[in-house]
Amino acid sequence: MNLIAKPSKENLKTYAPIGLFLVSLSILDVFINAFFNFNLMAFLPSQLSYFLPLILGFIGFYLIRIEFSGVRFLDILNKNINSNNFNALLTLFTIFIIIKSIPPMLDWFILEANFLGNSKDDCTGDGACWVFIKVWFNRFMYGLYPDAEQWRINTAFLILFAIVGVSFFVSEKLKKYFVLFLVFVFPFLGIKLISGGSFGLEYVESAAWGGLSLTFIISAFAILFCFPIGVILALGRRSSLPAIRYISIGFIELWRGVPLITVLFMSAVMFPMFLPDGTFIDKLIRVLIAITLFEAAYMAEVVRGGLQALPKGQYEAAKSLGMGYWRMNALIILPQALKLVIPGIANTLLALVKDTPLIFVVGLMELAGMIGLAKTNPKWLGMAMEGYVFAGLVFWVICYAMSRYSQNLEKN
Amino acid sequence: MGKIIELKKVNKWFDKFQVLKDIDLEVAPQEKIVICGPSGSGKSTLIRCINRLEEHQQGNIVVDGTELAENTKNIEKIRAEVGMVFQQFNLFPHLSILDNCTLAPIWVKKLPKKEAEEVAMKNLTRVQIDDQALKFPGQLSGGQQQRAAIARALCMEPKIMLFDEPTSALDPEMIKEVLDVMVDLAKGGMTMIVVTHEMGFAKEVADYMIFMDEGKIVERAKTKEFFENPKSDRTKLFLSQIL
């Protein structure tokens, strides 16, 4: 029973073109159907026409599955997406789903979307109403910060970017001072500039801060402080002094065991009750401390993983050269351990950035919080989708940039 | 002659298991001592006690006039004077060979960087890997790594060098290059305590041989006598197996 010969090198010349034609035909059919709403195979009975692309593609893929065909293109194709019948089916499904989902996405994002206008009434199309983002953009970036004072936030961030940018081009020796300035001086200078209250700058209370700039401020401060605290906790947890070890373990396990939302709530609502009358700590600062300590506990465990991965010989070699505890850790152990756990550190810091929206529970509104506020505005009801797609996009860009940076660090 | 290392009735336990039993040992400056014995006999533990990588529980250890006790500052001072070479080299993989050698002199002995580098290059030349100074440990062969580790210890200009089975992790053809360096060091007058199974090396450089078994020093004798006329049966048995 060999009416149809098995595809092989001998019949390559006839089978390959027919197979490729069938596969192309099936993809073309789905494509035209998806983009132009026209059914090439409409003359066939409806059920057959529905499954026809799949059947045609499947037969086509079967015909071109020729081992060692000698044609490079075919070999690569067969090896990667057409190694057996099941994989051929998966390939077809994937291609069809991608093609089918492009037109509605395009429609919603661009073709049917509205970009012009100033109010919800200008959004007449079926797609997204980007007018919403446009009108509220300023609030999404700066929160309730007074318009006239927004130059202060801009200046702070511009200085930051300028310093970071310039530091790439200066010598190693100067770079050290740049880093020291960025870590120890700039954060406080920047905060002073934004909060004001002196140097003739109008005071802006932290409750008015918000939007993306608040996301950045909180993330930057939390990252800056949680890292050294985490390292110290990790060292403490491995200390040979029982008191330090148990305090570290207790601290880490306490903060890791509580949800962030609870921590934030307590920091904002319960904590002030324990303070003596008349003392007041700004809500934003309390929240910052809470997030920092929370993430430091996670950071500590990541760093501990790196410390434990180092061979004992490294500790012994350092000790045998007369190094004390701090020199050993600073010069030998931490540089190696931290490099080992860069992926874990990046993971924790990404989680930190994405945890910032939770500060809405205490009434602070960063980007996602501002969107939540805007979408409940009576004039802009029903804009949740646009808002959260926008927030998702912004967070993705930030986190992807961080992720790429960490991969870069890992390589060097 | 004064003694540079003195151990008196040193006892040590790992939990309930006693690894060192009433060890008495005296080493004069410039003496070379080779310790041998079956595995698990406590010889590595013994030399690791001398720079307190292991703590002893009973007895006294005095190194260069300083008693090893709880005081950490004393211990760091002693460690800076006692160089140690490990079976697994234990170079710092994130630093170049030169940085491996200069790190401790700069940070512990507070030498200026330039001076530390001169000392390092001198010692790297001495172990004949000065041409590898800017490479990283992972790029070197086992024999080169072990010689680099010896140079790193020498850069602290120690009074005593401890060797903990320095050739056990090496390919046979690399053992000689490391032993040559150690012989050269011995001829230069360094005080050395070496745990090794290389009996050829022992015959060449050792003043004294020490044979350990089950945590005790079974025999201590001049090298020639040790090999030609061992007293205890346990030593005879060991030598008959190893030679």
Side-chain angles (χ1 to χ4, degrees):
Chain A
M1 266 303 281
N2 257 348
L3 277 181
I4 306 168
K6 212 172 149 29
S8 71
K9 212 173 167 178
E10 281 79 54
N11 45 38
L12 174 76
K13 285 228 162 59
T14 45
Y15 275 30
I18 298 175
L20 285 174
F21 172 73
L22 288 178
V23 172
S24 321
L25 189 66
S26 72
I27 293 174
L28 185 73
D29 180 35
V30 176
F31 181 79
I32 291 176
N33 196 329
F35 280 82
F36 304 104
N37 235 345
F38 176 77
N39 192 347
L40 274 184
M41 313 283 177
F43 57 89
L44 289 169
S46 69
Q47 277 179 350
L48 190 59
S49 110
Y50 191 75
F51 284 109
L52 199 64
L54 200 59
I55 297 166
L56 287 184
F58 186 69
I59 297 173
F61 269 135
Y62 176 76
L63 292 179
I64 59 172
R65 194 178 304 132
I66 301 167
E67 268 187 286
F68 309 118
S69 63
V71 183
R72 219 178 113 73
F73 165 72
L74 272 189
D75 283 344
I76 292 174
L77 196 78
N78 285 335
K79 191 176 152 215
N80 291 318
I81 61 171
N82 187 25
S83 53
N84 57 38
N85 286 336
F86 179 67
N87 284 347
L89 271 180
L90 282 185
T91 304
L92 284 170
F93 271 122
T94 314
I95 294 174
F96 293 165
I97 288 170
I98 291 173
I99 294 176
K100 275 280 189 189
S101 58
I102 288 174
M105 297 256 275
L106 267 183
D107 280 348
W108 192 81
F109 274 98
I110 298 166
L111 296 178
E112 305 272 324
N114 292 87
F115 296 91
L116 302 171
N118 295 309
S119 76
K120 194 185 170 189
D121 300 333
D122 294 320
C123 290
T124 49
D126 292 332
C129 181
W130 297 123
V131 179
F132 171 66
I133 305 294
K134 195 179 76 180
V135 171
W136 285 87
F137 189 78
N138 191 276
R139 291 276 160 260
F140 291 164
M141 293 299 114
Y142 303 103
L144 305 175
Y145 207 85
D147 289 356
E149 305 292 328
Q150 281 167 8
W151 63 268
R152 279 152 56 178
I153 295 183
N154 292 340
T155 317
F157 280 100
L158 273 179
I159 295 173
L160 176 66
F161 292 136
I163 297 173
V164 172
V166 171
S167 73
F168 279 107
F169 299 103
V170 298
S171 68
E172 287 294 319
K173 216 169 185 179
L174 269 175
K175 211 178 205 166
K176 211 161 47 180
Y177 294 106
F178 274 71
V179 171
L180 286 178
F181 178 77
L182 271 184
V183 173
F184 292 108
V185 183
F186 180 76
F188 307 99
L189 223 66
I191 282 299
K192 196 77 212 152
L193 182 63
I194 294 173
S195 70
S198 48
F199 303 113
L201 293 172
E202 188 190 329
Y203 176 67
V204 182
E205 59 168 353
S206 62
W209 304 13
L212 189 61
S213 53
L214 185 62
T215 308
F216 278 132
I217 291 170
I218 290 184
S219 306
F221 269 87
I223 288 173
L224 192 64
F225 293 119
C226 88
F227 188 66
I229 297 176
V231 169
I232 288 179
L233 281 174
L235 290 176
R237 191 165 186 165
R238 286 170 60 79
S239 167
S240 54
L241 307 172
I244 292 181
R245 188 167 64 243
Y246 287 121
I247 289 172
S248 302
I249 292 176
F251 185 92
I252 292 169
E253 296 303 339
L254 176 74
W255 287 87
R256 281 207 311 169
V258 184
L260 179 57
I261 205 160
T262 324
V263 174
L264 288 172
F265 189 76
M266 286 197 203
S267 78
V269 181
M270 280 179 63
F271 180 64
M273 290 198 275
F274 301 123
L275 287 178
D277 283 344
T279 44
F280 173 77
I281 303 176
D282 190 278
K283 185 158 74 180
L284 180 61
I285 291 177
R286 274 180 276 145
V287 163
L288 257 179
I289 293 173
I291 294 183
T292 303
L293 295 181
F294 182 84
E295 299 293 345
Y298 281 88
M299 188 60 77
E301 289 297 278
V302 171
V303 174
R304 185 166 70 99
L307 293 176
Q308 274 169 350
L310 281 194
K312 218 173 133 217
Q314 292 293 310
Y315 290 88
E316 291 180 349
K319 282 184 195 164
S320 78
L321 289 167
M323 291 188 197
Y325 180 82
W326 293 109
R327 279 198 198 111
M328 173 176 79
N329 278 302
L331 299 171
I332 307 297
I333 304 303
L334 285 175
Q336 292 184 66
L338 292 181
K339 192 166 179 234
L340 278 176
V341 293
I342 287 176
I345 293 174
N347 225 354
T348 308
L349 297 183
L350 285 178
L352 186 157
V353 173
K354 290 189 292 180
D355 277 345
T356 52
L358 282 179
I359 59 174
F360 83 90
V361 295
V362 299
L364 289 171
M365 276 166 298
E366 45 63 76
L367 178 61
M370 280 313 292
I371 288 168
L373 189 71
K375 80 176 183 351
T376 55
N377 185 307
K379 287 184 195 155
W380 291 96
L381 288 177
M383 293 294 149
M385 191 120 96
E386 287 82 352
Y388 287 124
V389 165
F390 175 71
L393 214 64
V394 173
F395 272 102
W396 183 80
V397 169
I398 297 170
C399 292
Y400 186 67
M402 285 172 67
S403 158
R404 288 312 299 252
Y405 181 69
S406 89
Q407 285 171 29
N408 201 9
L409 266 185
E410 231 174 297
K411 281 194 199 112
N412 302 325
Chain B
M1 195 157 42
K3 303 294 178 193
I4 194 162
I5 301 174
E6 283 182 278
L7 280 75
K8 272 189 207 130
K9 294 246 175 269
V10 171
N11 283 286
K12 175 170 176 61
W13 288 264
F14 285 133
D15 288 328
K16 295 243 166 66
F17 178 70
Q18 189 166 9
V19 270
L20 296 179
K21 297 173 187 164
D22 284 340
I23 300 286
D24 286 308
L25 177 67
E26 289 185 339
V27 182
Q30 305 209 349
E31 255 180 352
K32 288 102 187 102
I33 291 180
V34 169
I35 305 177
C36 61
S39 61
S41 59
K43 49 197 194 307
S44 284
T45 311
L46 173 61
I47 67 166
R48 288 158 62 86
C49 278
I50 293 173
N51 67 352
R52 213 176 167 83
L53 285 182
E54 304 280 0
E55 287 176 26
H56 59 286
Q57 278 107 21
Q58 275 179 15
N60 306 79
I61 299 180
V62 179
V63 179
D64 197 22
T66 311
E67 164 130 29
L68 291 188
E70 287 304 319
N71 187 334
T72 45
K73 273 288 158 247
N74 276 350
I75 292 165
E76 279 164 31
K77 194 180 128 236
I78 288 300
R79 281 176 180 160
E81 287 178 12
V82 180
M84 180 139 188
V85 177
F86 300 86
Q87 184 177 354
Q88 299 295 341
F89 328 140
N90 294 342
L91 290 169
F92 306 130
H94 62 302
L95 299 173
S96 72
I97 297 298
L98 184 64
D99 288 340
N100 262 281
C101 291
T102 55
L103 193 70
I106 290 174
W107 289 93
V108 179
K109 284 180 82 180
K110 312 281 180 202
L111 278 191
K113 189 164 183 241
K114 204 154 169 243
E115 207 173 309
E117 278 175 2
E118 278 164 20
V119 174
M121 284 317 292
K122 193 187 82 195
N123 284 309
L124 287 172
T125 312
R126 187 169 178 187
V127 300
Q128 295 171 11
I129 46 166
D130 45 321
D131 51 337
Q132 315 282 346
L134 297 178
K135 287 194 186 164
F136 284 81
Q139 297 168 299
L140 268 55
S141 72
Q144 289 171 326
Q145 288 192 46
Q146 191 61 296
R147 283 185 281 151
I150 294 174
R152 177 178 70 181
L154 290 177
C155 285
M156 290 296 286
E157 290 168 341
K159 293 180 179 165
I160 303 161
M161 285 283 283
L162 307 174
F163 292 84
D164 187 3
E165 305 205 27
T167 55
S168 299
L170 293 174
D171 288 343
E173 59 204 34
M174 294 174 180
I175 291 178
K176 190 174 177 301
E177 61 186 57
V178 173
L179 290 181
D180 285 347
V181 167
M182 288 165 63
V183 170
D184 170 65
L185 201 59
K187 287 184 177 146
M190 176 67 75
T191 312
M192 290 164 71
I193 302 182
V194 185
V195 173
T196 186
H197 299 296
E198 297 293 330
M199 289 303 139
F201 168 80
K203 281 175 186 166
E204 189 176 347
V205 305
D207 297 317
Y208 280 99
M209 293 294 294
I210 285 176
F211 176 70
M212 284 184 74
D213 189 30
E214 293 179 346
K216 281 188 287 223
I217 293 183
V218 176
E219 186 152 352
R220 178 194 154 117
K222 292 245 181 203
T223 309
K224 198 161 176 243
E225 208 177 309
F226 181 84
F227 283 107
E228 287 171 3
N229 191 14
K231 289 194 184 63
S232 92
D233 293 338
R234 185 68 188 87
T235 317
K236 283 176 197 160
L237 179 67
F238 179 77
L239 286 175
S240 72
Q241 280 164 347
I242 203 169
L243 290 175

